[in-house]
Each structure stands twice: as C-alpha cells, then as structure tokens.
Amino acid sequence: MVEKPQISSSMVSANFSSLPVILLLGLFSLPLLVMYAYLFIDTISDTEVGSLIPSEFTLRHWSFLWETKTGKPNIWLVTLNTFIFASCITGVILIVSSMAGYVLSRLNVPARGFFLAGVMVLHAFPSVTLIIAIFIVLQWIGLYNSLIGVILVKAAVELPLGIWLMKGFYDTVPWEIEMAGTVDGASRFTVWRRLVLPQIKPAVMALGLFSFLTGWSEFIMPQVLAPGAKVQVLSVYLASLIIDDNNFDFGTFKAVGVFYVVPVLILYVFFQKHLMNIYGGGSKG
Amino acid sequence: MRILLDKFSKSFGSTNIIEDMNLEVGSGEMLALLGPSGCGKSTTLFAVCGIHRPTSGRILFGTRDVTDLPSQERNVGVVFQSYALYPHMTVEENIGFPLMVRRIASADIKKQVADIADLVHIGDLLGRRPAQLSGGQQQRVALARALIRRPDVLLLDEPLANLDAKLRLEMRSEIRRLQKETGITAILVTHDQVEAMSMCDRIAIMKSGEIVQIATPSEMYKDPRTSFVASFLGNPPISFLKGKAQQGAFVLGENGLCLPIAALSGIPDGTTLSLGVRPEHFGTAGGIPVEGKVVFAETQGRENLYDVVLPDGSVLRSIQPVRDDVKPGDSVRWNLDSASTFVFAEDGRRL
C-alpha cells in the first residue's frame, strides 16, 4: 500500500493512486477467474453443443460421489489414499529434514561439505529420469503397487529441497541460544528439540504445507509405481477418466477436477501466510 | 570456588589465540578480563565454560580438573552479551530451564524461580516473553537464569555492552551486589575499563593473547607495568610525551623542558623515553611549570577537560575543577606533578 505522507506541503502528496493498479490487475486476472467460474458451472449444468450459455441444472456429473463407476475404484477410497499419501510424505519430510538440516547447519560431522554439495546436486536432479530404475527396484523388493513404496520414493525425491530449506532456517538461529542451552546443562538433543526447533516453527509449518501440497498434486510417481485400483490416488483417477476413449465424459472429468482442487484451495486460504515464509526467510546457502 | 588456568593454550586451525596462559581466580572473587577486541578474552571465557576445548593446558575448578568435561557437566552460569534468552519461552520458563533439564519437580522449580526472580527484582515479570522486556530487564532475566542452579562460576561476557548509558550504571552496581550476596566466583569479560575498575576485585589486562598485568584496580591505576596498561586505564586517558634521558631527568625535545624524575637515576643519557602524564596530574597543583596553548576545552559539568599543545607539538591533557577563565587559543602556564608521572622505555616497559 502507498502510505500518504503527513507533511503539509503542496509539493508532497501520494505520488500515485492505487485505483488504476487494482483495475489493471483485475483486468489481467479476469480470464483466469472466468475459467474457474466456467469449470465450476460446467460441473452442475448441461450446455447445448456450440453454445456458451448453460441450458439446464444437473447433478449428474457429481454422481461419482455416491455411485462407483464401472471399472473405477470408489472415489472415497481414492481420496483416502491421496490423503494418506500426502500426509505420510509430509511426515517423513518434516522429521527427516528438520533433523538433517540441523546436523548440516550446526554439527561438525565428517564429510559435511560432501553432504551439502550432494543435497544440492540431488535437488537439481530431475527425478523423472530415475523412474524406470525406481520401478525395477520397487518390484524387486516387493513394494511395487503399494502406497508405502510410492510414499518412500516421493518423500526421498522431495527431501533434498526440505533439508536445504531447513538448513537455511537453522542458519538464522543465533549460536548464543545453543551455547546458553549447553551451559544450562541441556544435551544437544534437548537443545535442538526444546530451544532451536521452536525458533523455526514457522518454517516447519511452511515446509509441511508445501510437502502436503506437492504430495496431493503428484501424478507421475503414483501413475507409474502404484496404478492399481486399491492404491490409486486422485490424480491417477482423474487421468484415467480421459484416457478411456470409449466413455468420454468431460462433465465428470471437470467435477472430479473441482473435487480434487478444493482441499488445496482451502489450505491456501487458511495457510497462505505460512506458505509465503518458505519463499521469504530460508534458502540462504 | 577457585578457578585455575594452567598453561592454557587455544588455537583455531593454525592461528594461535592464546599460548601458555596462567590465571588464578580466588574463591568468591570477581575478576575482570580487560582488553581490546581480539585479545582472546572471550576465547578464555568460552574455554572456562566448556564451549571451546583448550588446545593444551588444564582448567581446574577448585581441585577438580574440568578440562575434558563438556559444558553440561561443569556447572557454570553464563550471561551472554546478547543475553541469549529463549524467545519462545516466558521469563519463568527461561529462568527455570536449567532446572527443567535436570528433571527437578515443577513445584520446586516454581519456588526457586520465584526466589531468584525476587533477588534480581523481576518478580512481577515472570509471565512475559523476552520480546516484551526492556534491555535492563532482559539482562536481569539472563542473570537469574545463570544463577538459579548455584553455579560454581559466573561468567559474564560483555554483559553491559547492549545497555544504554544510564542502565549500564545501574546494572554495574546490580551485578556487583548479586555477586557479593551470592558469594560466587565471577569472571567478567569487558573492553570497558570503567566497568572493569568499578565492578571487580582484580583486573587481568590482556593484549594479543597474553595477560600483561593482574592487579587490583587502584594498584593497576597507580602502578601500571607497561604503557599499554597505563593507556588502557583512566578516563580521560593518559597522555604521553616523547623525550630523552639526561642526567637523571626527562628532557622533552630541543627547548629543554626538564623534569627531574627519581626513577631515571642510572639510565644512560640519550635513552629514548616516553612519559605518561595523567590529566589530573597536570593543572594547578604540582611543581614544574609547563607552558602551552589550549587547543580544546570540554566541560563535563563538575570538571573541565583541556588539551594543551606544548611548543614542540606534543599534547597534554588536563582535568580541572570548572573554571571560566581559560578558552581555546589561550596560552597557559600550568604545573606538572612530576612525582606522579610514569616513565616508559621505548618498548613500553615501565622504568
């Protein structure tokens, strides 16, 4: 916002009005808004071919919620799978990277530089190129087509970013707090758990949300590593709707899409401030 | 409890910070480690509390060798320059933390925290968080946290550096009061000679990793061993005149200002010397008249401070009771008390 200076001089005033800016931004955002609006309207109405105006109201497209389509898993099982998938990834990433980040930031471990560089390289590495190898490994150890397998893989792929971010946040915590903790008689683990971790709570919160959203929207890994009906997640379910050339149902596809995106929107609305932390505070090398 | 550093050395990589330092702090004594920044005083402090391990040498608390003990097992209390309070905890939790990690019953902790909070006068602030406290209050919390588990040693790392001038004065006497009341052995690290002189029983003055002199504040002020010590103590600081020895007297430049000084008997003629004159020994009292020109005058309320340039260009400082008759630019003829001056050899050694 532009603050209006309180100096009483005819030369000094607010140097521009915010109204045109808002109008311009609104204008640019309009196409996006229209698209979202149409996405939703299309799921609860039928439209004549060639027309833009919906002609009648219907809940037909949302019927996937209460009746399981032939050849498709139950939507609620799929949703539960997605939820488990995203939550477990979040859990693994938070636990591992909050500890690993601390170690890399503060402890004098052997080969610390090597690990730091390794984390950086892994972060930059496109994980999709590994997918065939991972597929073979999972099949070998019997975790192919299981949620555990794909959770471990996805978490591992996301970990370098998490570790790096956590390290950046730990670096900002003053050393004196740790020194004070140790001379107060606390073990290094207690210092981490009771004194340092609480300092970076906002970052942990942000990383958690970030990981959950990444897990929620992940498609390639579950598609390749866990496509079975019992372990399907929403993104795979959604894709399967349009892969099927014979039963082409755009209405349902859109409805599932809306259903899929609603939790994300809710998370954003409630936690966007926390999420912004990840772009603001951390990642100092 | 007595603290003894025996041939203590510390180096970081190939940089030697401290070599073979010996220091003994008596039980219940408060000692200041005084020196310019980078002289190794904080390194010494961190070695005593176990954050740095000595490269060689021993550290003893009483008769117990703590050299290889981690800080958790040393029972020391430290007040850091930044106070290092835990921002997410209330004052009560901050002070109680050292007890909490020892798994003491929470009712006991509450009682002890209340006692120590009363001792440092923050009994009514226990529910607040550090961010809601003023600098002086944070300082008191840090002191309470350091004292609560009755440490063998209290270490203070520039505890007053972040306070404003008035609070600094208040906390100076406050810390000294607490140290006396608890009878704890304390080490104060500071670069401020006023703090060191006003708070401590003895001062160890350090320069590039070595202790130059250990003495009580007044001894050190009256009898500095080197010109470094003399220049570090005293405010306004001592001024130095460069000259030569001649027949048991100090001779300044060519014009022949001649000061007979007892310490100079037996020094060969022509030896280069420097003469330290404290501002209170140049003024109305004293035996030897010195002529010069006032170039700077500053009033401090009760006293005035003058800078006087002598004919050869060297400067003497003078501090005198307030007077209105001297202004910058005036020529004056003031007296110098030659018996109270210090003579130093070229290498800074006192003669």
Side-chain angles (χ1 to χ4, degrees):
Chain A
M1 284 300 290
V2 183
E3 274 189 44
K4 287 187 179 162
Q6 294 296 309
I7 309 158
S8 61
S9 157
S10 58
M11 300 296 287
V12 184
S13 66
N15 54 1
F16 64 89
S17 151
S18 53
L19 194 63
V21 180
I22 290 172
L23 279 179
L24 200 69
L25 285 176
L27 201 67
F28 281 133
S29 316
L30 206 59
L32 270 176
L33 208 67
V34 170
M35 278 196 278
Y36 275 111
Y38 257 95
L39 178 65
F40 180 67
I41 290 167
D42 275 0
T43 63
I44 53 164
S45 61
D46 276 328
T47 312
E48 303 276 329
V49 177
S51 163
L52 279 177
I53 315 296
S55 52
E56 57 171 335
F57 174 78
T58 175
L59 285 177
R60 188 165 55 86
H61 307 310
W62 285 94
S63 65
F64 69 92
L65 287 180
W66 52 85
E67 53 193 37
T68 306
K69 307 238 162 191
T70 44
K72 301 264 181 290
N74 183 302
I75 184 72
W76 298 109
L77 175 72
V78 175
T79 312
L80 182 69
N81 282 341
T82 318
F83 191 76
I84 293 173
F85 179 66
S87 307
C88 289
I89 287 173
T90 308
V92 172
I93 290 180
L94 282 189
I95 292 170
V96 176
S97 47
S98 62
M99 292 185 174
Y102 180 76
V103 170
L104 287 179
S105 168
R106 288 297 156 91
L107 300 189
N108 197 8
V109 285
R112 181 172 166 276
F114 172 76
F115 276 115
L116 269 178
V119 165
M120 205 53 181
V121 169
L122 281 179
H123 173 41
F125 201 82
S127 54
V128 181
T129 54
L130 291 174
I131 204 144
I132 306 293
I134 293 171
F135 173 81
I136 294 169
V137 171
L138 282 191
Q139 205 160 38
W140 192 268
I141 58 176
L143 287 178
Y144 173 67
N145 229 344
S146 72
L147 267 181
I148 297 181
V150 75
I151 285 169
L152 288 178
V153 172
K154 179 62 181 163
V157 165
E158 290 298 318
L159 266 178
L161 174 69
I163 293 173
W164 194 256
L165 278 172
M166 283 297 108
K167 182 206 168 281
F169 280 105
Y170 280 123
D171 285 348
T172 64
V173 178
W175 266 108
E176 277 84 6
I177 290 203
E178 257 166 279
M179 294 182 183
T182 43
V183 296
D184 280 348
S187 69
R188 206 61 196 263
F189 183 81
T190 312
V191 167
W192 169 72
R193 177 67 195 80
R194 304 297 300 266
L195 301 180
V196 180
L197 197 57
Q199 312 296 321
I200 61 157
K201 222 156 101 192
V204 173
M205 190 88 182
L207 181 63
L209 277 167
F210 187 77
S211 310
F212 188 86
L213 292 176
T214 323
W216 190 264
S217 58
E218 177 61 25
F219 169 63
I220 288 286
M221 301 264 173
Q223 168 76 1
V224 177
L225 305 175
K230 278 186 182 162
V231 291
Q232 219 167 62
V233 294
L234 273 170
S235 57
V236 179
Y237 180 90
L238 186 65
S240 73
L241 286 177
I242 44 167
I243 279 173
D244 193 347
D245 281 338
N246 301 321
N247 299 311
F248 213 64
D249 186 353
F250 260 132
T252 305
F253 180 71
K254 285 176 188 166
V256 173
V258 171
F259 178 77
Y260 181 41
V261 85
V262 162
V264 178
L265 290 181
I266 292 174
L267 276 181
Y268 259 107
V269 167
F270 282 102
F271 295 110
Q272 53 167 327
K273 270 192 190 137
H274 298 279
L275 213 54
M276 288 320 268
N277 269 331
I278 224 164
Y279 305 110
S283 72
K284 285 175 203 143
Chain B
M1 188 167 288
R2 177 194 74 137
I3 307 166
L4 181 72
L5 298 183
D6 179 23
K7 291 209 174 77
F8 160 68
S9 299
K10 178 69 194 174
S11 52
F12 292 104
S14 57
T15 334
N16 291 328
I17 307 293
I18 289 164
E19 261 179 288
D20 287 342
M21 174 169 150
N22 293 305
L23 176 67
E24 184 171 358
V25 188
S27 186
E29 185 186 34
M30 185 154 177
L31 179 107
L33 285 177
L34 176 67
S37 45
C39 71
K41 55 193 192 304
S42 288
T43 308
T44 311
L45 189 88
F46 285 145
V48 173
C49 70
I51 289 168
H52 294 333
R53 295 294 161 84
T55 313
S56 66
R58 292 189 309 155
I59 299 171
L60 278 83
F61 288 2
T63 50
R64 191 164 65 116
D65 189 337
V66 298
T67 314
D68 296 317
L69 282 186
S71 17
Q72 285 93 337
E73 292 163 40
R74 286 201 190 185
N75 201 22
V76 289
V78 185
V79 176
F80 293 89
Q81 182 175 352
S82 62
Y83 316 136
L85 300 178
Y86 311 132
H88 58 294
M89 295 182 180
T90 63
V91 167
E92 184 169 13
E93 289 164 336
N94 260 287
I95 301 175
F97 184 79
L99 300 183
M100 196 217 61
V101 295
R102 271 147 209 240
R103 304 181 193 287
I104 289 172
S106 59
D108 277 2
I109 297 183
K110 221 174 168 59
K111 195 181 157 296
Q112 291 194 38
V113 168
D115 288 350
I116 202 96
D118 283 343
L119 184 70
V120 298
H121 305 319
I122 50 165
D124 49 341
L125 302 173
L126 289 180
R128 298 219 201 153
R129 282 181 201 282
Q132 299 164 322
L133 301 177
S134 69
Q137 290 165 337
Q138 291 185 19
Q139 168 87 78
R140 287 167 192 268
V141 176
L143 271 167
R145 189 180 65 186
L147 289 172
I148 191 157
R149 60 202 174 109
R150 306 179 198 295
D152 297 332
V153 190
L154 177 66
L155 304 174
L156 304 146
D157 184 18
E158 309 247 9
L160 305 175
N162 289 353
L163 296 176
D164 61 54
K166 194 161 163 281
L167 260 178
R168 200 173 296 178
L169 227 71
E170 183 189 323
M171 288 313 294
R172 220 157 72 188
S173 44
E174 187 70 8
I175 291 175
R176 182 61 165 160
R177 174 182 72 86
L178 285 169
Q179 189 264 332
K180 283 223 163 117
E181 269 177 35
T182 50
I184 194 171
T185 310
I187 299 181
L188 169 82
V189 158
T190 179
H191 59 260
D192 183 348
Q193 50 97 13
V194 182
E195 272 172 33
M197 289 183 78
S198 59
M199 290 166 73
C200 294
D201 298 309
R202 283 195 305 157
I203 297 174
I205 191 161
M206 290 183 70
K207 187 188 183 186
S208 37
E210 276 173 31
I211 294 179
V212 185
Q213 186 175 1
I214 304 185
T216 65
S218 55
E219 268 172 29
M220 193 174 274
Y221 188 76
K222 280 186 211 138
D223 186 17
R225 196 173 291 165
T226 70
S227 60
F228 171 76
V229 177
S231 66
F232 217 88
L233 295 189
N235 183 29
I238 196 167
S239 37
F240 290 102
L241 299 176
K242 294 253 175 275
K244 284 187 165 41
Q246 205 168 74
Q247 293 166 347
F250 174 88
V251 178
L252 181 71
E254 302 298 317
N255 70 341
L257 173 66
C258 187
L259 303 164
I261 285 164
L264 283 180
S265 57
I267 304 285
D269 285 4
T271 313
T272 310
L273 299 168
S274 73
L275 184 76
V277 184
R278 294 216 185 268
E280 62 268 31
H281 298 138
F282 176 56
T284 43
I288 295 160
V290 177
E291 281 182 24
K293 197 172 160 195
V294 176
V295 290
F296 176 79
E298 178 188 288
T299 183
Q300 297 182 337
R302 189 160 27 88
E303 283 146 339
N304 280 2
L305 177 65
Y306 300 103
D307 282 5
V308 178
V309 176
L310 306 190
D312 73 324
S314 47
V315 177
L316 278 181
R317 268 181 220 100
S318 168
I319 192 158
Q320 300 176 19
V322 164
R323 55 194 280 185
D324 300 328
D325 53 334
V326 182
K327 291 185 183 54
D330 292 357
S331 288
V332 291
R333 185 183 164 87
W334 283 339
N335 294 319
L336 198 152
D337 178 8
S338 65
S340 308
T341 58
F342 310 122
V343 189
F344 300 100
E346 222 178 346
D347 60 359
R349 214 162 26 85
R350 171 97 180 276
L351 296 173

